[in-house]
Amino acid sequence: MNQSSCQCVKYQCLIPIDSHMNKKRNHLLPDRHPQQDLFVCDIVDAVPKGDMASMEHPIFSLSTKPDMKPREYSNGESFIKINPSIKGLATVHDRDVLIYCISQCMAALNEGRQVQRKLKLNAAELLQATNRPKEGRGYKLLKDALSRLQGTQIETNIKQGGKERFSVFGIIDRADVVRETREGKMQEIEITLSDWVFDAIENNNVLTLHENYFRLRKPIERRLYELARKHCGKQPKWTIYLDTLANKAGSMSTAKEFKRMITKVITDNTNNPYIPDYSFELEGDLLIVRPLKATLNVNALPQLEPETYEKARKFAQGWDVRVLENEWRTWVRTKGIKIKNADANFISFCKKPRDHNNQESFI
């Protein structure tokens, strides 16, 4: 046997023998597709959540037919322009896909898992979670929704995650069907979210939606609920004039037709309540929205809105707002204070000066 190789009985070993033989060799190929580059949607009971920006602004079309009309919405210095793809604007029902993706990411973050802009999901589970048909037609509608979500272009300077910048982007960056049956039924999809949407996830600029949201048939019913959830929240009352509501909802109807449509929804909901969480009343051209449970129990303070934590951090910089929340809840319960608006009261609590030497509350 020479110094450079070993001689077996019938075969010659092709592995050189040198001074590095005692070094451990990695017998595995490098992981070319690390898990951290792809977030797998696999949380069955993820709570529906929507990003606040698209809940507040008319990004999605109310039409159930191809909508090819561009639109623009402005509020002060903030503006948003929505331009359709060759298949039309993304619709309120297309938004189901975005809600599902956001819900999966937020559920994973709550479990302490990392998420990425690129998501891998099971098509059948998405259809089931969003109350969509699971037969062949359901998969075709899902493909169309993905096309419109990717093709609809947004131009805006609206803040997302505390960042104000001019941006042009699609609602999603990309969608790929990575596996389907011989019959063409989708099985696995990969969706890459836009930076704008992912910023909302990373900064917790999302709101929880009622599970019956996906059971609302009409786009205007969904927009009514979304706007009520965003602007009313748990306040005793929120009001808005119909012309402003039509603008925020993204309606292209005449003022007369829009009022007729809203009146019909309110009448149906009053006779047989089906829109979750809120009641609606029309006085002339003023819409009045109230939460179905307007009174707050001191001993069972409600969950704070996500945006409340963001405001709290501005007034209590350097402090852990979750610790402050525990202190606030204890203080309210101990003092027996009656709270009408929990979010506003917590913000006032955070504005009080604090001793930074208290290491339990300081980060």
Side-chain angles (χ1 to χ4, degrees), residues 19-236:
S19 59
H20 301 286
M21 280 295 289
N22 58 348
K23 184 183 293 185
K24 291 184 178 180
R25 300 175 62 88
N26 188 349
H27 296 281
L28 299 176
L29 289 172
D31 186 357
R32 298 189 177 98
H33 306 287
Q35 188 65 42
Q36 63 185 20
D37 292 339
L38 184 69
F39 170 63
V40 179
C41 297
D42 58 359
I43 302 177
V44 178
D45 57 350
V47 178
K49 291 182 183 290
D51 68 293
M52 290 190 281
S54 61
M55 290 175 69
E56 180 176 0
H57 303 99
I59 293 177
F60 296 93
S61 171
L62 296 177
S63 178
T64 55
K65 298 179 180 179
D67 187 345
M68 308 303 296
K69 187 174 182 179
R71 61 205 47 200
E72 182 174 352
Y73 174 83
S74 59
N75 184 9
E77 296 182 355
S78 299
F79 74 90
I80 187 166
K81 298 179 181 179
I82 306 99
N83 299 301
S85 69
I86 59 173
K87 290 192 174 182
L89 292 169
T91 70
V92 169
H93 287 285
D94 294 342
R95 176 174 157 77
D96 292 355
V97 177
L98 202 62
I99 292 174
Y100 181 79
C101 292
I102 293 172
S103 305
Q104 288 286 323
C105 288
M106 295 307 300
L109 288 173
N110 290 336
E111 292 181 355
R113 294 164 54 187
Q114 290 187 339
V115 297
Q116 301 292 330
R117 287 200 310 128
K118 189 174 183 180
L119 290 72
K120 183 178 182 179
L121 51 91
N122 180 287
E125 291 176 358
L126 184 154
L127 294 175
Q128 181 174 335
T130 55
N131 199 42
R132 283 169 163 256
K134 293 176 65 176
E135 65 271 11
R137 179 173 174 270
Y139 290 94
K140 181 184 182 303
L141 292 175
L142 179 54
K143 279 187 176 180
D144 292 341
L146 293 172
S147 295
R148 287 188 292 267
L149 287 168
Q150 193 282 325
T152 299
Q153 189 179 69
I154 309 294
E155 298 179 37
T156 185
N157 68 343
I158 292 173
K159 293 181 179 180
Q160 187 76 291
K163 304 172 185 176
E164 184 172 0
R165 62 190 179 203
F166 173 75
S167 302
V168 181
F169 53 90
I171 299 174
I172 62 175
D173 279 359
R174 184 183 179 93
D176 295 283
V177 178
V178 296
R179 190 156 61 94
E180 59 184 3
T181 65
R182 293 179 180 177
E183 294 76 23
K185 182 185 293 186
M186 289 184 290
Q187 291 181 308
E188 289 183 358
I189 311 171
E190 289 181 1
I191 294 178
T192 304
L193 302 175
S194 66
D195 287 336
W196 198 67
V197 172
F198 198 66
D199 281 346
I201 294 170
E202 289 190 309
N203 290 278
N204 200 27
N205 287 341
V206 301
L207 289 175
T208 300
L209 306 176
H210 195 281
E211 60 183 6
N212 283 345
Y213 169 86
F214 295 119
R215 297 183 62 190
L216 296 175
R217 293 178 181 273
K218 299 177 182 178
I220 189 59
E221 296 169 343
R222 294 190 176 201
R223 284 300 286 146
L224 269 179
Y225 173 79
E226 289 173 0
L227 290 168
R229 181 71 185 90
K230 173 63 179 68
H231 292 286
C232 184
K234 297 181 177 67
Q235 298 180 79

Side-chain angles (χ1 to χ4, degrees), residues 234-288:
K234 297 181 177 67
Q235 298 180 79
K237 182 173 70 172
W238 175 62
T239 61
I240 184 172
Y241 284 100
L242 287 183
D243 56 347
T244 305
L245 177 66
N247 200 16
K248 290 181 75 68
S251 174
M252 296 288 105
S253 301
T254 64
K256 181 178 180 180
E257 174 60 20
F258 184 74
K259 184 173 183 178
R260 184 203 67 78
M261 186 165 51
I262 292 297
T263 301
K264 176 69 164 58
V265 172
I266 292 175
T267 300
D268 291 344
N269 189 61
T270 300
N271 294 335
N272 182 24
Y274 61 93
I275 299 179
D277 295 337
Y278 299 97
S279 65
F280 303 87
E281 180 183 351
L282 197 59
E283 290 186 359
D285 288 334
L286 184 69
L287 178 69
I288 303 172

